[in-house]
Amino acid sequence: MQIKGKAYRTIWFENNIVKIIDQTKLPHQFIIKELKTVEDSINAIKSMEVRGAPLIGATAAYGLVLSILEKNDQTFLKDSSEGLIASRPTAINLKWAIDRMMKKISGTNSNEILKVAIDEAKKIVEEDIDFCKNIGLNGLKIIEEIAKKKKDTVNILTHCNAGWLATIDWGTATSPIYHAYKKGIKIHVWADETRPRNQGANLTSYELNEEGIPNTIIADNTGGILMQRGQVDLCIVGTDRTLSNGDVCNKIGTYLKALAAKDNNVPFYVALPSSTIDWNITDHKKIPIEERNSDELSHIEGLDKDNNLQKILIYPQKSKAMNLAFDVTPAKYVTGLITEKGVCEASEKGLKRLFK
Ligand code: MRU
């Protein structure tokens, strides 16, 4: 998608270097950062210079390529894969990408391993773009139906950033929105701010602005009253891990939006590529929920009056804070899952119908 009229992807590989857009600096600064070692990749994921389930999967895949470039050695590769998997625990795409890369390169001789790894990382990236595009085409039908009935602007609420910045291109939750907009459907997006890191404000609103899509940032607790007032036609969110029974783990606060949507008969859809499905865990309590540094809550970053980025403390110095990054929305609150293969019921039956 576009930034200042120029098409970008969130990650690319050039002259044996991985390039990323540093998302910790958006929307105020647009900085392209170079990753040259596996440690750079681990740090970029941990610090959330790259974030979003599909993008951290792709970064991990390229992290293994960088590891082979650094030292073509099996022990180093194994340590690298473990370090990458541990860098963020909740999004399953990370482990999915590493397992896929390791399976592909295992048994490859040391002369060929680099080429095999680069090809597979590129495949993961291209496949994600393709999947996200198809998620958009499948989700478009839902928006078209609502637009046909309403004959007025369709208001869509989304949480966090499941936009193109969270993937390689198109996004998951935003892909149906981009497709609908390109088809001339009148759209307006409510972007939940998404405390503490404000991905909704800093990333979703930013990327929609760059594509010219009308949007309004709201505080995280505003969605409920908007739904009661009939100002939300549809919710679409992303996911970091979808269980085979249709339970959805996504950015903290998603669950509360799903409850409000249920109470107000607002359709609540979750958009995902199949790389986000965890076929192994069936009990959502077994999902490792990331707990991040409480500094992310107690401090906030923004521009001062001289346009310098500043970080300031906003909590009482002595207060403790707790920063759980994800929650789980049970399948019963999910109207449907929008995948690259079609839309299905949030259940094992629904998922298995699409993914045998
Ligand atoms: O902590 P983040 O910013 O990585 O969380 C991102 C989300 O929760 C997204 O909704 C999810 O990864 C889906 S991305 C298409």
Side-chain angles (χ1 to χ4, degrees):
M1 307 302 285
Q2 313 247 348
I3 292 179
K4 293 198 170 45
K6 190 174 168 209
Y8 282 94
R9 289 178 174 187
T10 51
I11 190 165
W12 62 100
F13 186 65
E14 216 172 70
N15 302 325
N16 289 345
I17 291 171
V18 176
K19 299 210 176 159
I20 57 161
I21 299 167
D22 180 354
Q23 300 194 20
T24 60
K25 297 289 181 288
L26 291 174
H28 304 300
Q29 294 173 352
F30 179 76
I31 294 169
I32 292 173
K33 202 169 167 182
E34 298 189 340
L35 311 180
K36 296 181 178 163
T37 64
V38 65
E39 205 51 39
D40 289 348
S41 310
I42 291 172
N43 289 335
I45 296 171
K46 274 190 182 160
S47 64
M48 293 175 65
E49 287 164 354
V50 285
R51 27 70 51 202
L55 178 56
I56 59 181
T59 309
Y62 274 126
L64 282 189
V65 170
L66 294 175
S67 156
I68 297 166
L69 277 163
E70 264 179 280
K71 200 170 167 188
N72 193 344
D73 167 90
Q74 284 302 318
T75 311
F76 187 62
L77 188 64
K78 189 168 170 288
D79 290 348
S80 301
S81 72
E82 284 167 5
L84 285 161
I85 287 178
S87 60
R88 283 195 83 189
T90 303
I92 190 74
N93 301 59
L94 228 171
K95 185 172 179 316
W96 168 87
I98 294 291
D99 287 351
R100 176 166 160 172
M101 291 289 291
M102 292 301 275
K103 195 169 164 202
K104 192 76 192 176
I105 59 189
S106 74
T108 310
N109 71 46
S110 58
N111 299 327
E112 287 174 351
I113 193 166
L114 180 61
K115 182 179 177 322
V116 173
I118 292 173
D119 287 352
E120 194 61 13
K122 279 189 179 156
K123 238 184 181 170
I124 286 174
V125 161
E126 296 304 326
E127 202 178 273
D128 189 69
I129 295 171
D130 200 41
F131 284 1
C132 286
K133 189 172 176 197
N134 285 323
I135 287 169
L137 293 170
N138 293 326
L140 168 64
K141 294 173 203 151
I142 298 167
I143 300 177
E144 275 176 330
E145 275 302 305
I146 295 172
K148 225 190 282 165
K149 279 193 207 136
K150 198 180 174 199
K151 296 189 178 62
D152 199 357
T153 303
V154 179
N155 288 300
I156 303 175
L157 183 142
T158 191
H159 190 68
C160 192
N161 174 262
W164 75 270
L165 290 167
T167 63
I168 316 298
D169 211 351
W170 292 107
T172 59
T174 56
S175 187
I177 296 170
Y178 288 130
H179 280 87
Y181 183 73
K182 282 181 200 296
K183 269 201 106 176
I185 296 173
K186 279 207 276 173
I187 294 274
H188 167 259
V189 178
W190 297 112
D192 279 353
E193 179 191 32
T194 321
R195 283 281 291 148
R197 291 188 68 109
N198 298 340
Q199 292 96 324
N202 292 348
L203 305 175
T204 304
S205 180
Y206 169 78
E207 66 164 82
L208 292 172
N209 290 344
E210 294 295 314
E211 290 289 329
I213 298 187
N215 69 89
T216 307
I217 299 166
I218 49 175
D220 290 329
N221 298 323
T222 309
I225 191 167
L226 293 179
M227 291 187 214
Q228 286 173 328
R229 289 178 171 180
Q231 289 176 278
V232 181
D233 297 301
L234 167 74
C235 300
I236 315 181
V237 300
T239 165
D240 289 81
R241 193 185 288 236
T242 303
L243 303 191
S244 57
N245 64 7
D247 287 353
V248 169
C249 181
N250 191 47
K251 179 55 55 194
I252 194 88
T254 303
Y255 172 45
L256 295 179
K257 286 305 130 60
L259 289 177
K262 185 78 177 177
D263 194 41
N264 292 282
N265 290 319
V266 173
F268 189 91
Y269 283 92
V270 178
L272 64 136
S274 49
S275 51
T276 308
I277 304 170
D278 183 339
W279 295 103
N280 297 316
I281 294 183
T282 47
D283 175 1
H284 75 75
K285 293 197 189 78
K286 299 216 169 93
I287 300 174
I289 301 287
E290 179 178 8
E291 184 171 348
R292 296 186 61 86
N293 198 311
S294 61
D295 278 10
E296 291 182 351
L297 276 163
S298 58
H299 290 70
I300 202 152
E301 194 173 57
L303 292 182
D304 66 12
K305 62 179 178 16
D306 300 317
N307 273 352
N308 296 315
L309 266 184
Q310 296 285 357
K311 199 175 201 174
I312 56 164
L313 172 72
I314 54 170
Y315 283 1
Q317 239 150 8
K318 285 190 182 158
S319 295
K320 279 203 297 189
M322 190 213 207
N323 186 11
L324 287 178
F326 299 96
D327 63 22
V328 179
T329 301
K332 63 181 174 187
Y333 300 120
V334 178
T335 310
L337 302 173
I338 310 171
T339 77
E340 74 270 17
K341 289 210 176 167
V343 180
C344 70
E345 184 188 289
S347 68
E348 185 159 357
K349 198 170 145 222
L351 280 168
K352 285 206 169 142
R353 180 172 63 78
L354 295 182
F355 304 98
K356 300 222 172 63

